[in-house]
Amino acid sequence: MLTLKQVWDEETIQRLTEKRKTDFSSTVSEIRLMDEHRKKTQQALDSCLQKANEISKQVGDLFKKGEAAAANDLKSESSALKEKSKGLQEQLRSAEEDMKSLLYKLPNVPHAKVVAGVDETDNEVVFESGGIPAKEDGLLPHWELAKKHEIIDFELGVKIAGAGFPLYIDKGARLQRGLINMFLDHNTEAGYTEYLPPLFVNEASGIATGNLPDKEGQMYHMQVDDLYAIPTAEVPVTNIFRDDIVNPDKLPLKCTAYTPCFRREAGSYGAHVRGLNRLHQFDKVEIVQVTHPDKSYDTLEEMLQHVKALMAKLELPYRILRLCGGDTTFASAMTYDFEVWSKAQDRWLEVSSVSNFETFQANRLKLRYKDETGKTQLCHTLNGSSLALPRIVAALLEHNQNSDGTVSMPAAVIPYVGFDKIG
RNA sequence: GGAGAGAUGGCAGAGUGGUUGAAUGCGGUGGUCUUGAAAACCAUUGUGCCGCGAGGUACCGGGGGUUCGAAUCCCUCUCUCUCCGCCA
């Protein structure tokens, strides 16, 4: 959520409008109006309460002195004030609520470097690891390779749970486990602290990360206990720092966590969701950083390099996009997407998204630090996948298939999975 | 699932209607002392909102009520702990 200061700042709103190519002016002016109303109400309420407090003291004194008659006169005055304050309090509460729901409507302001744009066609390719490999005949898509080698069974997954819940078997299962370990090691070696968080979160956590109340339909909800299955480790990990005022000497905070991720993906069907392309349950290793505002773009760059190094170990063709304003996710100020090339599907697959949220998340989380002058300031938060498993596995299988039908493992993966070949 | 206890500042822990934003201890920060450190001593040490500021106001798990006045009394919700049962 944007801060009120940002909403009042003309330049900021201009950039928001320009970069996302969307007109937010009506929401902005509503918020500003509501903010002024809120301030006035607050002032009226405070002075009303101040009077009431003074009278209460006087009444106490009068009773002590035994002047009951005078005290009773003041009592009625106080009652009137109380009535008035009740109304004001109600006004203030509803003004604050209205303002909040209006604020929730505004997405983050893209960074100045982000290009203005509407959708993915405006995204910039900022890095390519070596170009798209030439087309070959007879390549099998990963779901056929998975079937052939009996390493992922989608039908059995349907039997047990439903579509989008694959069953990994034997080397397929070991590949998952090995990759998770490899990714986590890569992160902890770079100084990230490993967490194993709860896979279900309460409502407060969902609200703090912005998954609730709006995107409710995207998460699995356990009604009996009112818990939500996490769509990403970002939710529990970020909530570690909810309502925190951290010591600035401790920044940056670097966290990594492996979790399964659960997504309802309501309304997405068709050829593009085949195989491992889009699932209801998948595994992902996440990295999260909390930084000083001055450092967050250096950190974003560092995270980019970090994920690049991991991609290099996997030896897959990939590229990095810097998303344009309109394609940058709601909470993000700058996002880089990593995409691997799917050789058999002949298309790019997103495997990581690295974002700087600046204060957008921290504001809702109330994640702050104390600056040199002792004032509390919002931290910046960043996160990224390093990496999401399914599409990596898809690309890995397709990219490394040999003419005899077997699939080789990249050198860096072999010690983690304990085999060099499938089939 | 049954029975009971509790929820107060970074932590521990007082406070049962009137300068209590809250004793005390620990921790943190600054200082004195010291070659340095420790110890000791002194001071300081929550957050939000409104206000240029002085200052005001709110917050003792959440919500509601009683009262001129509530951390303190009442109702309600949530959570935590202990014992029993069940169980990886």
Side-chain angles (χ1 to χ4, degrees), chain A residues 325-344:
Chain A
D327 209 28
T328 297
T329 48
F330 190 82
S332 174
M334 191 188 281
T335 296
Y336 290 97
D337 272 6
F338 282 70
E339 297 183 331
V340 288
W341 181 250
S342 168
K343 217 170 168 183

PDB file of all heavy atoms in Angstrom, chain A residues 325-344:
ATOM      1  N   GLY A 325       5.934  -0.933 -16.996  1.00  0.00           N
ATOM      2  CA  GLY A 325       5.066  -0.455 -15.915  1.00  0.00           C
ATOM      3  C   GLY A 325       3.769  -1.228 -15.772  1.00  0.00           C
ATOM      4  O   GLY A 325       3.406  -1.640 -14.668  1.00  0.00           O
ATOM      5  N   GLY A 326       3.095  -1.465 -16.888  1.00  0.00           N
ATOM      6  CA  GLY A 326       1.800  -2.110 -16.824  1.00  0.00           C
ATOM      7  C   GLY A 326       1.883  -3.579 -16.454  1.00  0.00           C
ATOM      8  O   GLY A 326       0.948  -4.144 -15.890  1.00  0.00           O
ATOM      9  N   ASP A 327       2.995  -4.231 -16.730  1.00  0.00           N
ATOM     10  CA  ASP A 327       3.150  -5.660 -16.462  1.00  0.00           C
ATOM     11  C   ASP A 327       3.795  -5.901 -15.094  1.00  0.00           C
ATOM     12  O   ASP A 327       3.796  -7.024 -14.594  1.00  0.00           O
ATOM     13  CB  ASP A 327       3.988  -6.314 -17.572  1.00  0.00           C
ATOM     14  CG  ASP A 327       3.611  -7.777 -17.769  1.00  0.00           C
ATOM     15  OD1 ASP A 327       2.446  -8.112 -17.494  1.00  0.00           O
ATOM     16  OD2 ASP A 327       4.471  -8.563 -18.186  1.00  0.00           O
ATOM     17  N   THR A 328       4.368  -4.857 -14.527  1.00  0.00           N
ATOM     18  CA  THR A 328       4.964  -4.967 -13.195  1.00  0.00           C
ATOM     19  C   THR A 328       3.854  -5.255 -12.193  1.00  0.00           C
ATOM     20  O   THR A 328       2.813  -4.598 -12.207  1.00  0.00           O
ATOM     21  CB  THR A 328       5.676  -3.649 -12.827  1.00  0.00           C
ATOM     22  OG1 THR A 328       6.742  -3.435 -13.752  1.00  0.00           O
ATOM     23  CG2 THR A 328       6.234  -3.692 -11.417  1.00  0.00           C
ATOM     24  N   THR A 329       4.074  -6.277 -11.358  1.00  0.00           N
ATOM     25  CA  THR A 329       3.007  -6.695 -10.456  1.00  0.00           C
ATOM     26  C   THR A 329       2.586  -5.560  -9.533  1.00  0.00           C
ATOM     27  O   THR A 329       3.345  -4.631  -9.276  1.00  0.00           O
ATOM     28  CB  THR A 329       3.430  -7.904  -9.598  1.00  0.00           C
ATOM     29  OG1 THR A 329       4.716  -7.629  -9.053  1.00  0.00           O
ATOM     30  CG2 THR A 329       3.472  -9.169 -10.416  1.00  0.00           C
ATOM     31  N   PHE A 330       1.374  -5.663  -9.073  1.00  0.00           N
ATOM     32  CA  PHE A 330       0.699  -4.638  -8.278  1.00  0.00           C
ATOM     33  C   PHE A 330       1.585  -4.024  -7.192  1.00  0.00           C
ATOM     34  O   PHE A 330       1.668  -2.805  -7.056  1.00  0.00           O
ATOM     35  CB  PHE A 330      -0.537  -5.273  -7.633  1.00  0.00           C
ATOM     36  CG  PHE A 330      -1.461  -4.297  -6.986  1.00  0.00           C
ATOM     37  CD1 PHE A 330      -2.384  -3.589  -7.735  1.00  0.00           C
ATOM     38  CD2 PHE A 330      -1.424  -4.094  -5.614  1.00  0.00           C
ATOM     39  CE1 PHE A 330      -3.258  -2.685  -7.144  1.00  0.00           C
ATOM     40  CE2 PHE A 330      -2.290  -3.192  -5.002  1.00  0.00           C
ATOM     41  CZ  PHE A 330      -3.213  -2.487  -5.775  1.00  0.00           C
ATOM     42  N   ALA A 331       2.283  -4.880  -6.445  1.00  0.00           N
ATOM     43  CA  ALA A 331       3.020  -4.404  -5.273  1.00  0.00           C
ATOM     44  C   ALA A 331       4.448  -3.966  -5.601  1.00  0.00           C
ATOM     45  O   ALA A 331       5.131  -3.411  -4.752  1.00  0.00           O
ATOM     46  CB  ALA A 331       3.056  -5.499  -4.211  1.00  0.00           C
ATOM     47  N   SER A 332       4.866  -4.195  -6.829  1.00  0.00           N
ATOM     48  CA  SER A 332       6.281  -4.009  -7.148  1.00  0.00           C
ATOM     49  C   SER A 332       6.580  -2.662  -7.798  1.00  0.00           C
ATOM     50  O   SER A 332       5.763  -2.093  -8.521  1.00  0.00           O
ATOM     51  CB  SER A 332       6.724  -5.133  -8.084  1.00  0.00           C
ATOM     52  OG  SER A 332       8.041  -4.914  -8.527  1.00  0.00           O
ATOM     53  N   ALA A 333       7.796  -2.167  -7.538  1.00  0.00           N
ATOM     54  CA  ALA A 333       8.263  -0.939  -8.185  1.00  0.00           C
ATOM     55  C   ALA A 333       9.168  -1.274  -9.363  1.00  0.00           C
ATOM     56  O   ALA A 333       9.316  -0.486 -10.294  1.00  0.00           O
ATOM     57  CB  ALA A 333       9.006  -0.066  -7.189  1.00  0.00           C
ATOM     58  N   MET A 334       9.807  -2.435  -9.293  1.00  0.00           N
ATOM     59  CA  MET A 334      10.617  -2.899 -10.411  1.00  0.00           C
ATOM     60  C   MET A 334      10.714  -4.415 -10.332  1.00  0.00           C
ATOM     61  O   MET A 334      11.021  -4.955  -9.273  1.00  0.00           O
ATOM     62  CB  MET A 334      12.017  -2.286 -10.388  1.00  0.00           C
ATOM     63  CG  MET A 334      12.778  -2.534 -11.684  1.00  0.00           C
ATOM     64  SD  MET A 334      14.511  -2.028 -11.624  1.00  0.00           S
ATOM     65  CE  MET A 334      14.394  -0.269 -11.860  1.00  0.00           C
ATOM     66  N   THR A 335      10.443  -5.066 -11.440  1.00  0.00           N
ATOM     67  CA  THR A 335      10.456  -6.528 -11.463  1.00  0.00           C
ATOM     68  C   THR A 335      11.270  -7.042 -12.643  1.00  0.00           C
ATOM     69  O   THR A 335      11.129  -6.539 -13.760  1.00  0.00           O
ATOM     70  CB  THR A 335       9.020  -7.098 -11.566  1.00  0.00           C
ATOM     71  OG1 THR A 335       8.293  -6.738 -10.398  1.00  0.00           O
ATOM     72  CG2 THR A 335       9.027  -8.613 -11.691  1.00  0.00           C
ATOM     73  N   TYR A 336      12.115  -8.020 -12.364  1.00  0.00           N
ATOM     74  CA  TYR A 336      12.820  -8.757 -13.410  1.00  0.00           C
ATOM     75  C   TYR A 336      12.275 -10.177 -13.443  1.00  0.00           C
ATOM     76  O   TYR A 336      12.155 -10.810 -12.400  1.00  0.00           O
ATOM     77  CB  TYR A 336      14.321  -8.813 -13.110  1.00  0.00           C
ATOM     78  CG  TYR A 336      15.038  -7.500 -13.255  1.00  0.00           C
ATOM     79  CD1 TYR A 336      15.283  -6.704 -12.144  1.00  0.00           C
ATOM     80  CD2 TYR A 336      15.478  -7.063 -14.502  1.00  0.00           C
ATOM     81  CE1 TYR A 336      15.955  -5.489 -12.272  1.00  0.00           C
ATOM     82  CE2 TYR A 336      16.143  -5.858 -14.637  1.00  0.00           C
ATOM     83  CZ  TYR A 336      16.378  -5.069 -13.525  1.00  0.00           C
ATOM     84  OH  TYR A 336      17.039  -3.882 -13.656  1.00  0.00           O
ATOM     85  N   ASP A 337      11.939 -10.640 -14.623  1.00  0.00           N
ATOM     86  CA  ASP A 337      11.504 -12.020 -14.780  1.00  0.00           C
ATOM     87  C   ASP A 337      12.607 -12.843 -15.422  1.00  0.00           C
ATOM     88  O   ASP A 337      13.237 -12.388 -16.376  1.00  0.00           O
ATOM     89  CB  ASP A 337      10.262 -12.096 -15.680  1.00  0.00           C
ATOM     90  CG  ASP A 337       8.965 -11.938 -14.879  1.00  0.00           C
ATOM     91  OD1 ASP A 337       9.046 -11.658 -13.665  1.00  0.00           O
ATOM     92  OD2 ASP A 337       7.886 -12.095 -15.478  1.00  0.00           O
ATOM     93  N   PHE A 338      12.814 -14.040 -14.917  1.00  0.00           N
ATOM     94  CA  PHE A 338      13.719 -14.997 -15.541  1.00  0.00           C
ATOM     95  C   PHE A 338      12.871 -16.002 -16.307  1.00  0.00           C
ATOM     96  O   PHE A 338      11.917 -16.537 -15.756  1.00  0.00           O
ATOM     97  CB  PHE A 338      14.538 -15.757 -14.479  1.00  0.00           C
ATOM     98  CG  PHE A 338      15.684 -14.966 -13.913  1.00  0.00           C
ATOM     99  CD1 PHE A 338      15.462 -13.879 -13.087  1.00  0.00           C
ATOM    100  CD2 PHE A 338      16.998 -15.333 -14.207  1.00  0.00           C
ATOM    101  CE1 PHE A 338      16.523 -13.157 -12.562  1.00  0.00           C
ATOM    102  CE2 PHE A 338      18.064 -14.609 -13.680  1.00  0.00           C
ATOM    103  CZ  PHE A 338      17.827 -13.519 -12.868  1.00  0.00           C
ATOM    104  N   GLU A 339      13.236 -16.246 -17.551  1.00  0.00           N
ATOM    105  CA  GLU A 339      12.500 -17.221 -18.351  1.00  0.00           C
ATOM    106  C   GLU A 339      13.462 -18.231 -18.960  1.00  0.00           C
ATOM    107  O   GLU A 339      14.501 -17.846 -19.509  1.00  0.00           O
ATOM    108  CB  GLU A 339      11.745 -16.507 -19.486  1.00  0.00           C
ATOM    109  CG  GLU A 339      10.691 -15.528 -18.987  1.00  0.00           C
ATOM    110  CD  GLU A 339       9.912 -14.881 -20.129  1.00  0.00           C
ATOM    111  OE1 GLU A 339      10.465 -14.719 -21.236  1.00  0.00           O
ATOM    112  OE2 GLU A 339       8.739 -14.549 -19.905  1.00  0.00           O
ATOM    113  N   VAL A 340      13.117 -19.506 -18.854  1.00  0.00           N
ATOM    114  CA  VAL A 340      13.936 -20.530 -19.508  1.00  0.00           C
ATOM    115  C   VAL A 340      13.262 -20.934 -20.812  1.00  0.00           C
ATOM    116  O   VAL A 340      12.042 -20.851 -20.956  1.00  0.00           O
ATOM    117  CB  VAL A 340      14.125 -21.812 -18.659  1.00  0.00           C
ATOM    118  CG1 VAL A 340      15.038 -21.556 -17.488  1.00  0.00           C
ATOM    119  CG2 VAL A 340      12.797 -22.374 -18.210  1.00  0.00           C
ATOM    120  N   TRP A 341      14.099 -21.400 -21.713  1.00  0.00           N
ATOM    121  CA  TRP A 341      13.567 -21.801 -22.999  1.00  0.00           C
ATOM    122  C   TRP A 341      13.127 -23.255 -22.960  1.00  0.00           C
ATOM    123  O   TRP A 341      13.886 -24.138 -22.568  1.00  0.00           O
ATOM    124  CB  TRP A 341      14.634 -21.626 -24.096  1.00  0.00           C
ATOM    125  CG  TRP A 341      14.127 -22.001 -25.455  1.00  0.00           C
ATOM    126  CD1 TRP A 341      14.489 -23.087 -26.193  1.00  0.00           C
ATOM    127  CD2 TRP A 341      13.145 -21.303 -26.222  1.00  0.00           C
ATOM    128  NE1 TRP A 341      13.800 -23.105 -27.388  1.00  0.00           N
ATOM    129  CE2 TRP A 341      12.971 -22.021 -27.433  1.00  0.00           C
ATOM    130  CE3 TRP A 341      12.396 -20.137 -26.016  1.00  0.00           C
ATOM    131  CZ2 TRP A 341      12.077 -21.611 -28.425  1.00  0.00           C
ATOM    132  CZ3 TRP A 341      11.517 -19.726 -27.004  1.00  0.00           C
ATOM    133  CH2 TRP A 341      11.362 -20.467 -28.197  1.00  0.00           C
ATOM    134  N   SER A 342      11.885 -23.469 -23.311  1.00  0.00           N
ATOM    135  CA  SER A 342      11.348 -24.815 -23.392  1.00  0.00           C
ATOM    136  C   SER A 342      11.500 -25.287 -24.829  1.00  0.00           C
ATOM    137  O   SER A 342      10.803 -24.842 -25.728  1.00  0.00           O
ATOM    138  CB  SER A 342       9.873 -24.814 -22.972  1.00  0.00           C
ATOM    139  OG  SER A 342       9.275 -26.043 -23.314  1.00  0.00           O
ATOM    140  N   LYS A 343      12.431 -26.208 -24.993  1.00  0.00           N
ATOM    141  CA  LYS A 343      12.866 -26.606 -26.329  1.00  0.00           C
ATOM    142  C   LYS A 343      11.764 -27.325 -27.114  1.00  0.00           C
ATOM    143  O   LYS A 343      11.633 -27.142 -28.319  1.00  0.00           O
ATOM    144  CB  LYS A 343      14.046 -27.566 -26.169  1.00  0.00           C
ATOM    145  CG  LYS A 343      15.135 -27.421 -27.200  1.00  0.00           C
ATOM    146  CD  LYS A 343      16.300 -28.280 -26.707  1.00  0.00           C
ATOM    147  CE  LYS A 343      17.361 -28.470 -27.758  1.00  0.00           C
ATOM    148  NZ  LYS A 343      18.425 -29.371 -27.243  1.00  0.00           N
ATOM    149  N   ALA A 344      11.007 -28.133 -26.400  1.00  0.00           N
ATOM    150  CA  ALA A 344       9.980 -28.910 -27.095  1.00  0.00           C
ATOM    151  C   ALA A 344       8.669 -28.139 -27.243  1.00  0.00           C
ATOM    152  O   ALA A 344       7.905 -28.368 -28.171  1.00  0.00           O
ATOM    153  CB  ALA A 344       9.741 -30.225 -26.353  1.00  0.00           C
TER     154      ALA A 344
END
